[in-house]
Amino acid sequence: MSVNVEFAPEGQHGVVAEGTYLWDAAKRLGVRLPAECEGRGECDACAVVVKEGATLLSSLTNAERARLSPERLASGQRLACQAKVERAGTLVLQPVPQPEREQTTEETTKDIRTDFRDMTLQQKFATLAELEIIAAAQTFRAISDLSLRALGKGLDAVVGAGRARAHRQRASHRPPEHGGSARKSEGKKTTTTP
Ligand code: FES
């Protein structure tokens, strides 16, 4: 059984066999989808919007759930390297424009490196000084968090010991019929005021 596939907005179309991944279908029809992770489901470069025929495709993979936000999934996006055509029919797909993709950490790092390389020496020094200040502030915050956590633990221990003592005291004051350990006064009569 074959599947009709069309790519919007240019309209490249053709027939592919069931079991074909959308990425391979695109390639066969001359639509170039980027594939930064080479189809391992580790980026979102190959995302496409399924405009028609979503039910012809395989279920969402864990990689798609991890890479595509709920909003993107709700708008019909799939990762072309993960989604496979499982039923015959007509599919209309549209590649997600590059600027809409969320930048990966790798891309961000690459951008920072490129920006840094293109800076003048003066700008590089200024940036390094700024980064040093940020790193120092983060280190200070981390140390403060650690000390506060240690202090909190100490206070918890003191409060816990106090509570245990109070609990023991209360238990010793309870009548034995209620499970307490208070002893009846033996041979001594206590006088109570009315
Ligand atoms: S190519 Fe990276 S997720 Fe498809």
Side-chain angles (χ1 to χ4, degrees):
M1 296 274 255
S2 49
V3 187
N4 296 307
V5 183
E6 184 186 322
F7 274 88
E10 261 103 50
Q12 302 97 317
H13 63 277
V15 174
V16 299
E18 276 178 58
T20 306
Y21 282 91
L22 298 185
W23 198 74
D24 294 319
K27 207 168 160 190
R28 196 163 308 160
L29 300 178
V31 178
R32 211 185 155 278
L33 291 176
E36 282 164 20
C37 71
E38 292 166 2
R40 288 194 297 268
E42 291 170 2
C43 69
D44 68 341
C46 64
V48 293
V49 181
V50 182
K51 299 180 91 64
E52 197 183 313
T55 54
L56 309 180
L57 300 174
S58 52
S59 313
L60 285 173
T61 63
N62 286 337
E64 289 181 287
R65 287 183 211 281
R67 300 283 153 199
L68 300 171
S69 64
E71 294 75 30
R72 294 179 70 181
L73 289 173
S75 71
Q77 291 192 28
R78 299 290 306 260
L79 294 180
C81 69
Q82 302 285 304
K84 187 165 67 165
V85 188
E86 284 189 342
R87 282 166 281 280
T90 298
L91 262 175
V92 181
L93 309 167
Q94 181 165 7
V96 172
Q98 295 293 301
E100 273 186 39
R101 291 192 294 109
E102 284 159 24
Q103 207 172 30
T104 61
T105 316
E106 216 171 295
E107 285 172 317
T108 312
T109 312
K110 211 187 286 174
D111 285 353
I112 293 171
R113 280 203 188 119
T114 312
D115 286 352
F116 190 77
R117 209 181 33 230
D118 296 342
M119 284 177 191
T120 62
L121 196 58
Q122 207 173 4
Q123 285 171 325
K124 278 179 184 159
F125 280 132
T127 307
L128 284 175
E130 206 176 312
L131 289 174
E132 212 172 315
I133 290 167
I134 293 169
Q138 284 175 340
T139 310
F140 178 73
R141 214 173 305 139
I143 290 170
S144 314
D145 284 353
L146 275 178
S147 325
L148 282 175
R149 234 176 289 149
L151 183 66
K153 272 190 187 159
L155 283 175
D156 282 351
V158 171
V159 171
R163 276 198 191 128
R165 199 169 34 248
H167 182 74
R168 277 198 302 275
Q169 268 175 356
R170 275 201 304 278
S172 68
H173 291 164
R174 258 185 246 133
E177 314 84 270
H178 296 168
S181 57
R183 283 195 201 142
K184 284 179 190 167
S185 43
E186 290 158 9
K188 256 190 173 182
K189 271 194 177 178
T190 52
T191 47
T192 50
T193 45

